[in-house]
Each structure stands twice: as structure tokens, then as C-alpha cells.
Amino acid sequence: MKAIQIEKHGGPEVMETVDLPVPEPGEGEVRVKVEAVGLNFSDIMIREGRYVDEMPLPFVLGREFCGSIDAVGPGAGELAPGQRVIGGNPMGGALAEFLVAKAARLSPIPEGFTPVEGAALRTQGLTAMMIMDNAVKVQPGETVLVHAAAGGVGGLAVQIALARGARVIGTTSSEAKCRMVAKLGAEAVNYTEGDWVKEVLALTDGKGADIILESIGGEILLRSYNEALAIFGRLVIYGAASGDIVQFDNREILASNRTLMGFYLSRHFPDHLDRIGEAIGKLLAMIRAGTLKLTIDQTFPLERAADAFNHIQTRKNTGKVVVIP
């Protein structure tokens, strides 16, 4: 089978199309014929060797997928060949024609969804929903600041926060993306023009945001916490795209009366299947009600996977980027 594999960390040049044996499912596993793969910025961080968890090399990239079950291993429950599923595989393998995944990490593809939509729902949708409802517990009337609001998680988080009765401010990097964020219902701030902190403070009468979603790190994180977050506000870190490490002084956090928390979907997934199931149910209910829309930016064939990665890394995407094996 064809697969996109890396044998060392680096830029797009380390991504190779290779021929690998079709994998066999083991205990509690199924083999999936992959139909679509959703990309996330974490895939770029894995390729570059700066992800939170270290991945063994060689490594087949891609961790979010939609496809049909091709073979079932022992102890895989009621799943059967031919059943179409969406899933996540923290140890990669999705950028391939076939992959093996734990049955517990799979869900039936929602009725009426295309493979591309199925691949766009899970990781970013769960991240946005669980941050809003489980981590920061957004309340009606609160002001939520979403950085990278035109991205996959950002665009969904904007919609969920608005549906929960919050006011939303979204930062992004171009006027075109600002128009998209405004179309979602948020107040858009172009952080490449002027001082975004001053704009946020002006929009909130100097108070700052009650909730901030941050996935970049570095100066953006520091200024978000120290300058743009309201007293008794909550800031959640769910990514570190810049790679810049930030050090906090626990005494400063103590004196700030602000909450700093992290959200990382992959590591604790198996221990919280009840919360995962609840969040997926909420996502589907909002999509069916028309209060949440998936934004698909662009699709790429498997042989152009490096171009798909570059499309995200150069901040050209507005919404989800999907690869079709």
C-alpha cells in the first residue's frame, strides 16, 4: 500500500511516498480502508520533531481519518467489514491506503456526511467542544477571545461559544480571514495590523476577555495572559504552534487572580470515552440544527500531502485541510 512516511524530522522534504505491507489488525483492532484524512497543526509538529509526545521513527503521518472497515481483529466488538467510521489514531498511520486502529477510538460516520466532512469533524470538533463545555465552561454573557479564529479549531470554537450565549472576539492574520470570522458572528481583529491587545481592551472597555483560547505560544501567550485576560478570567492552552517555550512565575499566577489551564485531547482519550461520546453527540446535534457548520478549506491527493502540510504551515487555510488517499 502507498503511505506517507518520515524517517527523520524536518521540513516537507522528509516526507516520502513509500510502499508498505497492508497491516493486520490485532486484539481489539480493525483495519480501515482510508477515504479521507484530516490534517492538524500537530501533524506538522510531529514531522518537525517538536510535538508534545515523541513519536518513534520511521513514522507514517496522519492521525484523523474517515473510511470503511476492511478487516476485524479478535475482541473488536460489534464492528463489521463494510461499516463506515471516523476515528483518531494517536500513533499515526492515517496518510496511507489502509491503517489499523483501536475499535474503541472509532465512531460511525454521521448519516449524510461525506468522507471529507467525516475527516474534518473529530479532532478539531472535539477540541473546540470540550474546551468550551469541559475546560473553561463558557457562560452566557461572557466574552471569549479566540486566537487563530479562521482555523479549524478556531472557527468551530467561535460558533460553539456564540451558541452558548457568549460574545466572541476572533484574531486572525488577514482581512480576508477577518471577513470569514465576522461572517461566523464574531468581532474580528487583524493581529498583523496595529496592537491586537489594545484592540481587545478597547472592545471590552479595558476589562479584557473572560476566556481566551490560545494555541500559538511565545509572546502571544504571554500577552494574552498578562494583558488581555480579565480578572478571574480563564486561559486555555491547546497548542504551541510557534514552538516558543514560555516560563511562568507561580507567584505571578498566584497574584493575578486568573486561571491558566491546558487541554490536550490525545493523551487522555481512552480514559474519558464517556466525555468524548457526549461531546460528539453535542457536535452532531448542533450540525443537524444548523448552528454549527464545518468549513472545508481544501482537499489534496495523497501524492501532494507535502503541499497540504505547507498550505497549513504558511497560514493559507481557512478551515480544515483534508488529504484523499
Side-chain angles (χ1 to χ4, degrees), residues 78-140:
E78 299 180 359
L79 296 176
Q83 192 172 352
R84 299 182 71 236
V85 293
I86 58 175
N89 201 9
M91 297 307 296
L95 280 174
E97 294 177 291
F98 295 90
L99 66 78
V100 163
K102 293 289 187 183
R105 289 181 174 271
L106 304 178
S107 305
I109 185 171
E111 184 177 352
F113 270 46
T114 66
V116 170
E117 290 170 328
L121 172 69
R122 191 177 181 88
T123 298
Q124 293 178 341
L126 283 174
T127 298
M129 181 64 74
M130 295 184 75
I131 284 175
M132 286 299 172
D133 284 0
N134 297 106
V136 298
K137 296 181 172 63
V138 63
Q139 300 298 312

Side-chain angles (χ1 to χ4, degrees), residues 138-157:
V138 63
Q139 300 298 312
E142 290 189 309
T143 297
V144 178
L145 173 61
V146 179
H147 287 303
V153 173
L156 294 172

Side-chain angles (χ1 to χ4, degrees), residues 2 26 37 54 69 87 160 175 211 257 266 298 325:
K2 300 293 184 184
V37 182
E54 184 176 349
I69 295 175
I160 294 167
E175 288 306 311
I211 294 168
N257 282 321
S266 296
Q298 194 169 337

